[in-house]
Amino acid sequence: GAVVSQHPSRVICKSGTSVKIECRSLDFQATTMFWYRQFPKKSLMLMATSNEGSKATYEQGVEKDKFLINHASLTLSTLTVTSAHPEDSSFYICSALLLNTEAFFGQGTRLTVV
Amino acid sequence: GEDVEQSLFLSVREGDSSVINCTYTDSSSTYLYWYKQEPGAGLQLLTYIFSNMDMKQDQRLTVLLNKKDKHLSLRIADTQTGDSAIYFCAESRPGGGADGLTFGKGTHLIIQP
């Protein structure tokens, strides 16, 4: 099946710094990728829809200036958490859409802000 | 409240069938999905069903859809220890696949020896 690689799998950063998370579709092109955040004991929450070559569409309540998304190519989307704070600590998961139907997920990134 | 609801835990004996249930609210959903998340791993698509289908079977997995009641279930026959994971039910958002998915909280499937 299609493979989506997310990197890094774990990252610890200091409060106030920025962290970039990459999401790559390895064997298919994805014009649409999604970024989710998973809270403890809660479902995955869609943060934003990343469209290749255009601006990302953010869900209500998600700060676009804090969570910068860049989808510069058909195989790569990046999520940058700017000026990270401890409350940003979470599990972030990306997915890439194959043929507008099937979403393949990355392994997820565990972000810890200290 | 949540748009997609499912029980948080299910415990079954090895070899028995597991049935994980899910209810959703958006009747316009085109696709409904079941994902599996093993510890430390990302989500793996198990199966999906079109909203105009009632049932889909794939080896040990059977998906039943009751569109009238907005109820989706996943049956795993002959449950094995390797089936221990969190199972997420998801529905496509109103625009279809390109608008992302709405997930339930996930059901932890616990296998008893």
Side-chain angles (χ1 to χ4, degrees):
Chain A
V3 177
V4 173
S5 175
Q6 190 173 336
H7 178 81
S9 57
R10 289 178 182 273
V11 59
I12 300 172
C13 71
K14 289 187 176 181
S15 187
T17 62
S18 296
V19 174
K20 180 185 283 188
I21 303 170
E22 292 186 349
C23 180
R24 291 181 186 273
S25 56
L26 296 187
D27 49 2
F28 67 100
Q29 294 181 331
T31 54
T32 304
M33 292 186 177
F34 304 98
W35 287 96
Y36 294 86
R37 181 173 175 176
Q38 187 175 28
F39 294 91
K41 298 183 180 180
K42 290 191 177 181
S43 57
L44 288 166
M45 305 298 293
L46 178 66
M47 298 175 65
T49 301
S50 172
N51 300 298
E52 187 267 336
S54 63
K55 289 183 178 180
T57 304
Y58 289 82
E59 295 299 303
Q60 194 172 7
V62 178
E63 300 175 61
K64 62 180 181 180
D65 294 330
K66 181 166 186 62
F67 298 100
L68 298 179
I69 291 172
N70 188 311
H71 194 155
S73 77
L74 287 170
T75 59
L76 175 64
S77 175
T78 61
L79 169 69
T80 302
V81 183
T82 63
S83 187
H85 291 284
E87 56 265 30
D88 299 326
S89 297
S90 192
F91 193 61
Y92 294 86
I93 301 178
C94 74
S95 74
L97 207 59
L98 174 64
L99 299 176
N100 226 32
T101 301
E102 191 169 342
F104 291 88
F105 286 81
Q107 306 94 315
T109 298
R110 172 69 63 189
L111 171 63
T112 304
V113 184
V114 298
Chain B
E2 293 288 339
D3 294 329
V4 179
E5 295 189 358
Q6 43 182 137
S7 300
L8 287 182
F9 295 97
L10 175 66
S11 178
V12 297
R13 284 192 172 184
E14 189 175 358
D16 287 351
S17 293
S18 306
V19 180
I20 304 171
N21 294 302
C22 167
T23 58
Y24 60 97
T25 56
D26 192 340
S27 59
S28 64
S29 293
T30 308
Y31 304 96
L32 295 136
Y33 303 82
W34 284 104
Y35 285 89
K36 177 182 181 181
Q37 185 180 34
E38 296 183 10
L43 292 169
Q44 172 196 357
L45 177 64
L46 286 178
T47 185
Y48 64 87
I49 188 168
F50 292 101
S51 59
N52 61 357
M53 296 171 63
D54 298 324
M55 187 184 87
K56 181 178 180 181
Q57 187 156 2
D58 183 3
Q59 299 181 337
R60 291 193 299 125
L61 305 179
T62 303
V63 178
L64 294 178
L65 175 61
N66 182 329
K67 198 172 180 182
K68 174 175 170 290
D69 295 337
K70 300 191 185 75
H71 182 267
L72 183 75
S73 68
L74 174 69
R75 178 177 180 270
I76 305 172
D78 187 25
T79 308
Q80 303 298 310
T81 54
D83 295 324
S84 180
I86 304 174
Y87 291 82
F88 289 91
C89 169
E91 62 173 346
S92 58
R93 289 155 66 93
D99 279 357
L101 303 174
T102 302
F103 286 84
K105 292 182 180 180
T107 298
H108 294 243
L109 179 60
I110 301 165
I111 314 300
Q112 301 172 22

